Amino acid sequence: MDLQNIQKFYTHYSEKIKWLFIIISTIMIVIGNIYFYNFTNIFLKILFNSILSILNITIFFFTKFFKKNIKIFHETKNEIRNITWPNKKETFKITIVILFIILITSSVLWVLDNMCLRIISFLIQIRP
């Protein structure tokens, strides 16, 4: 393979290669923990897991998935800055309206519930 073909191959499969490495190294961490469970030298075990975890995180930072989510996060942050929040007086008025609506809705539901209860109890009493 010449250099141009290698570059085409890498650009075409770069994301798949990154995710494949992340998956394989994560599997290596899990298998390493299982295999070296009773291993006496805990320093080597911690070093092995730390190196693979740092590599996983570093490669994850260069994936398109991470970059896309960071972009969405920044756009969301900018949109939140554009929100105009209500002041104390508006908030109080809206709260009063909501409480009034809740009171009316609960009253209507209470009346409907009592009507249904009376109809059902009447129907039960009629049964022979």
Side-chain angles (χ1 to χ4, degrees), residues 13-101:
Y13 292 106
S14 64
E15 283 298 307
K16 292 179 182 177
I17 292 170
K18 290 174 190 174
W19 284 106
L20 182 66
F21 181 79
I22 290 172
I23 291 169
I24 289 173
S25 59
T26 304
I27 291 170
M28 286 175 60
I29 290 172
V30 171
I31 291 174
N33 279 331
I34 293 170
Y35 183 73
F36 295 116
Y37 180 72
N38 292 327
F39 195 57
T40 55
N41 195 348
I42 195 153
F43 176 74
L44 289 177
K45 191 174 168 182
I46 292 172
L47 182 67
F48 174 75
N49 289 341
S50 299
I51 289 172
L52 285 178
S53 298
I54 290 170
L55 280 173
N56 274 350
I57 292 168
T58 305
I59 291 172
F60 179 72
F61 285 155
F62 291 104
T63 59
K64 288 181 184 176
F65 176 79
F66 178 77
K67 291 177 184 176
K68 182 176 73 171
N69 285 327
I70 288 296
K71 184 179 177 184
I72 291 171
F73 175 75
H74 286 298
E75 290 173 1
T76 304
K77 192 169 85 172
N78 290 335
E79 286 297 322
I80 288 176
R81 287 184 185 152
N82 295 333
I83 295 175
T84 55
W85 297 99
N87 59 22
K88 188 175 182 181
K89 189 176 180 181
E90 291 172 342
T91 306
F92 182 74
K93 286 180 182 179
I94 292 170
T95 304
I96 294 299
V97 168
I98 289 173
L99 288 174
F100 183 71
I101 290 171

Side-chain angles (χ1 to χ4, degrees), residues 94-121:
I94 292 170
T95 304
I96 294 299
V97 168
I98 289 173
L99 288 174
F100 183 71
I101 290 171
I102 289 172
L103 181 69
I104 289 175
T105 306
S106 61
S107 299
V108 168
L109 287 174
W110 178 73
V111 168
L112 288 173
D113 182 49
N114 277 331
M115 286 174 48
C116 288
L117 180 67
R118 290 181 191 271
I119 290 171
I120 290 173
S121 62

